[in-house]
Amino acid sequence: MTTTRRQEAETTALPPELVRRLLDRAVAGGAPPVELFAPATGARIAELPQSSTADIERAFATARDAQREWAKRPVRERAAVLRRLHDIVLAEQRTILDIVQIETGKSRAHAFDEVGDVAVNARYYASVAGRLLADRSSRGVLPVLTKVGVRRRPKGVVAVISPWNYPLALAVSDALPALVAGNAVVARPDNQTALTALWAIDAAERAGLPEGLWQAVLGRGSVIGGEVIGRADYVDYTGSSATGRTIAQQAGQRLIGYSLELGGKNPLLVLADADVSRAAKIAIRACFASAGQLCESMERIYVHDSVYDRFVAEFTENVRGIRLGGALDYSADMGSLTFQRQLDTVREHVDDAVAKGATVLAGGRARPDLGPYFYEPTVLGDVRPGMTVYREETFGPVVSIYRVASDDEAVAAANDTAYGLNASVWTKDTARGREVAARVQAGSVNVNEGFIAAWGSADAPSGGLGISGTGRRHGPEGLLKYTDTQTIAVQRVLPIAPLPGMSEELWAKTMTLYFSVMKTLRLK
């Protein structure tokens, strides 16, 4: 039986009682609401309240009160909340997968990547928080006489400004280390995916997080972003490079810290000895996860001349086999773009390239028969400088393939960009792969994988070089960035000063001898 667009819209609606419960969690209502629609079907999702300045002030005040008590709790109690949240996310994944799919239009398989990301990060930070946040002793300037301790203090209230493309992973996995470090969080999710963030806050409180500690304010970044940054003690932002520059300026004026993960024009290198069939298969997910709306996804593929024809043939055949759809199940390989503006950008990049001589090797068409913003996964050949797609991030299901004659040429081409977020290298010789990877200017490089190997390794930092950002998420840095260090030094018995009756000259000579002895003993 053929399913009509109307029938599909009805079957992909969220339960009204769930929507009402989640919207009640937002600190909003003081500004006119906006309507939200499902990208895959065009169906109305909800009327979303918006936050006024008074709402934002109230959210921060509530968060600060809650944070003072939360910071007093032992780290093990804070970590226990993350462990319980881990279980809730996995147990209730059907609900959150539905929400993510309806809000973004992505396929269920790509939505599950976000569930996995939250589970991995919740487990990781629950496991390492005690060690990372523990007080530690340091060597004093005068051993035995100077006792020094270093402790970690939470920043206070962290603003997590998260985008629409990975609304669960980026809203939650950045908030968790901030929370376990003793901070409160005020979230500003994108309007389009606010329900996902609100579900996460609801789940966290059911896991034992104190009420009010994790707040959410709603509104466009251009409207309320400055109000949020103006009250935060630290800002964590994921989004465009242009907006990242603005946030850095605003945070810099207040002398508060910030972490920015921004755009990417990521390269995938297929070396002469690569397993071509495996590369051509895995590159599908590397390029087209979430319809290419992923900062980590590949938009440029450089293939050694000796395997170019075979790779292109297998890759394009795999691309043509991708199933498009918006059903709330695992029947589709790729879903919809999320906004009209994303569809417009994809069309502009492809049309500009074709008009200037590029060849469409696969895809290249919008699919309004499937939904408002569907676009076929697209592969372009013969792309040259001067075409928009050559340098600018498309952030959609479009990848360009280039022929190269050597590893050196591939690396030089990969590095010919202002971005530096993620990269991928394919070779049967993993030692060679590591050597080539070390030459690529990117915060993460995956050998024989697209992005999940590095991204999913929660103990390793993730972030960008160049205009792809500053700061890191994941790993110890992903937690410690939300803290300040405090050094407490206790001097005992003797002061660090001349003894009674000792001249400053004799003191200087004594200390000079002391410094020389310490060097000889190789003591710090």
Side-chain angles (χ1 to χ4, degrees):
M1 184 179 72
T2 301
T3 302
T4 66
R5 184 81 55 76
R6 180 176 179 179
Q7 287 172 325
E8 187 176 53
E10 290 172 350
T11 59
T12 58
L14 292 170
E17 63 277 10
L18 173 63
V19 173
R20 285 193 296 270
R21 177 165 64 86
L22 296 182
L23 292 180
D24 285 344
R25 289 200 160 274
V27 185
V34 297
E35 283 196 310
L36 300 181
F37 298 91
T41 64
R44 182 180 182 274
I45 300 175
E47 185 175 79
L48 189 71
Q50 300 288 272
S51 301
S52 63
T53 299
D55 291 327
I56 296 168
E57 183 64 38
R58 179 160 53 95
F60 272 91
T62 301
R64 288 196 187 283
D65 287 342
Q67 188 271 331
R68 282 190 283 271
E69 295 304 314
W70 176 246
K72 296 176 185 177
R73 292 199 188 185
V75 176
R76 66 178 181 277
E77 291 186 14
R78 304 199 297 254
V81 174
L82 270 62
R83 291 192 177 92
R84 290 191 291 269
L85 179 61
H86 167 281
D87 296 342
I88 290 173
V89 170
L90 293 181
E92 300 181 14
Q93 64 180 275
R94 180 173 180 177
T95 297
I96 188 55
L97 287 173
D98 285 352
I99 296 173
V100 170
Q101 278 196 273
I102 289 171
E103 289 191 314
T104 65
K106 68 174 63 182
S107 72
R108 203 166 191 82
H110 298 154
F112 180 77
D113 288 346
E114 302 199 50
V115 169
D117 181 80
V118 171
V120 167
N121 279 279
R123 185 181 71 243
Y124 170 72
Y125 283 116
S127 300
V128 302
R131 172 174 57 82
L132 294 177
L133 296 171
D135 294 350
R136 64 179 179 86
S137 298
S138 294
R139 189 184 303 277
V141 61
L142 295 179
V144 181
L145 301 182
T146 308
K147 184 173 179 146
V148 179
V150 179
R151 60 191 296 261
R152 291 278 176 178
R153 299 163 56 104
K155 293 281 187 180
V157 180
V158 173
V160 175
I161 302 175
S162 57
W164 48 267
N165 61 320
Y166 274 72
L168 183 67
L170 299 178
V172 180
S173 293
D174 285 336
L176 294 182
L179 292 167
V180 80
N183 298 282
V185 170
V186 173
R188 200 294 304 184
D190 190 277
N191 273 339
Q192 178 64 34
T193 51
L195 293 177
T196 295
L198 294 170
W199 181 89
I201 294 172
D202 179 83
E205 290 190 5
R206 288 189 282 122
L209 193 74
E211 184 178 352
L213 189 69
W214 190 357
Q215 301 276 290
V217 295
L218 306 179
R220 290 181 59 83
S222 58
V223 176
I224 70 169
E227 297 289 344
V228 172
I229 295 168
R231 292 168 172 80
D233 300 310
Y234 188 93
V235 178
D236 189 284
Y237 169 77
T238 305
S240 72
S241 298
T243 301
R245 288 189 178 97
T246 300
I247 289 175
Q249 291 172 349
Q250 293 171 328
Q253 288 174 351
R254 296 193 55 233
L255 296 180
I256 62 171
Y258 56 87
S259 179
L260 310 172
E261 189 192 274
L262 309 175
K265 189 72 175 176
N266 305 306
L268 185 150
L269 285 60
V270 181
L271 307 187
D273 67 339
D275 182 331
V276 172
S277 294
R278 184 163 176 253
K281 180 179 179 180
I282 303 300
I284 295 295
R285 196 178 189 97
C287 298
F288 302 118
S290 294
Q293 297 170 127
L294 168 63
C295 296
E296 304 271 341
S297 66
M298 301 298 149
E299 294 196 6
R300 301 177 289 149
I301 301 179
Y302 298 99
V303 187
H304 191 275
D305 182 71
S306 64
V307 294
Y308 179 88
D309 292 337
R310 183 182 166 202
F311 176 86
V312 170
E314 293 195 29
F315 180 64
T316 54
E317 180 180 0
N318 291 338
V319 171
R320 295 187 191 98
I322 292 175
R323 299 168 298 174
L324 303 180
L328 302 187
D329 56 31
Y330 288 93
S331 61
D333 300 315
M334 193 183 91
S336 169
L337 292 164
T338 305
F339 296 107
Q340 179 68 48
R341 66 176 182 265
Q342 297 306 124
L343 178 62
D344 292 343
T345 297
V346 170
R347 278 174 166 160
E348 289 166 7
H349 282 204
V350 173
D351 291 349
D352 172 78
V354 171
K356 295 175 180 176
T359 303
V360 176
L361 302 176
R365 296 183 303 156
R367 293 294 301 275
D369 56 309
L370 298 175
Y373 309 134
F374 278 88
Y375 196 94
E376 293 176 342
T378 299
V379 183
L380 298 177
D382 304 311
V383 173
R384 298 187 301 275
M387 299 176 183
T388 304
V389 75
Y390 184 81
R391 289 199 181 279
E392 291 190 18
E393 181 182 30
T394 304
F395 212 64
V398 180
V399 62
S400 305
I401 297 187
Y402 305 87
R403 188 190 298 265
V404 294
S406 65
D407 292 357
D408 290 343
E409 184 180 350
V411 170
N415 291 339
D416 184 21
T417 178
Y419 294 101
L421 185 58
N422 186 41
S424 175
V425 176
W426 287 82
T427 173
K428 292 177 183 176
D429 183 345
T430 55
R432 179 187 182 191
R434 283 191 294 267
E435 186 274 328
V436 172
R439 297 166 59 195
V440 176
Q441 298 299 313
S444 297
V445 185
N446 298 261
V447 177
N448 296 334
E449 234 297 329
F451 63 88
I452 295 178
W455 175 266
S457 300
D459 193 37
S462 175
L465 308 177
I467 65 171
S468 288
T470 183
R472 294 292 182 267
R473 60 163 51 99
H474 299 169
E477 290 121 303
L479 185 151
L480 296 179
K481 69 183 181 182
Y482 296 123
T483 67
D484 290 316
T485 57
Q486 182 184 46
T487 297
I488 299 176
V490 178
Q491 188 64 25
R492 298 181 293 184
V493 184
L494 297 176
I496 306 176
L499 297 174
M502 178 183 287
S503 69
E504 292 286 352
E505 182 179 4
L506 179 57
W507 165 256
K509 291 179 179 179
T510 302
M511 292 306 295
T512 297
L513 177 62
Y514 166 73
F515 295 145
S516 299
V517 170
M518 294 293 283
K519 179 185 176 184
T520 301
L521 296 176
R522 295 186 177 180
L523 297 178
K524 296 179 182 178

